[in-house]
Amino acid sequence: MKHDPLNHFLLDEFPYLKEHYAFVKDGVFDLDTPSSVFYEEIFLPYLLSAYEKKDEKEVHHCCLFIEGLLTDEEEARNDIAMNAVLLPLY
């Protein structure tokens, strides 16, 4: 299998999620996991946790990341923002 580049993109932007990813992974997730599942199970809980902690700086960082995905020319990034992040939030 080929590692999903969108998963790497997320972990590159949020390096501290690597610890969370390693904890949650426990044989269930790896970098080949479809990005839609990876973002819903790794990024979305992180965003909600930052919101609940009232960590405005990190929520802002997450929102800028989502905005970047939405405005990227690559359709896969747009899709992941809409279907794995915004749609579940809605």
Side-chain angles (χ1 to χ4, degrees):
M1 287 183 134
K2 178 184 168 200
H3 289 184
D4 193 317
L6 286 172
N7 295 345
H8 284 284
F9 184 68
L10 175 66
L11 295 178
D12 288 345
E13 180 69 25
F14 298 91
Y16 29 86
L17 282 179
K18 289 179 184 177
E19 289 179 29
H20 179 68
Y21 153 72
F23 175 74
V24 171
K25 178 177 119 172
D26 197 26
V28 177
F29 293 102
D30 61 22
L31 292 173
D32 293 325
T33 300
S35 56
S36 58
V37 175
F38 199 85
Y39 276 66
E40 270 190 68
E41 298 296 326
I42 303 295
F43 178 67
L44 199 51
Y46 177 74
L47 168 60
L48 293 173
S49 173
Y51 177 77
E52 288 172 3
K53 292 177 185 174
K54 298 183 183 346
D55 185 344
E56 292 180 24
K57 181 180 175 185
E58 200 54 31
V59 170
H60 182 72
H61 181 202
C62 291
C63 289
L64 289 176
F65 178 73
I66 295 166
E67 181 181 17
L69 291 172
L70 288 169
T71 58
D72 195 283
E73 293 178 7
E74 191 175 323
E75 189 175 334
R77 291 184 182 190
N78 304 151
D79 289 345
I80 206 68
M82 291 296 295
N83 297 318
V85 180
L86 296 179
L87 190 60
L89 280 175
Y90 179 71

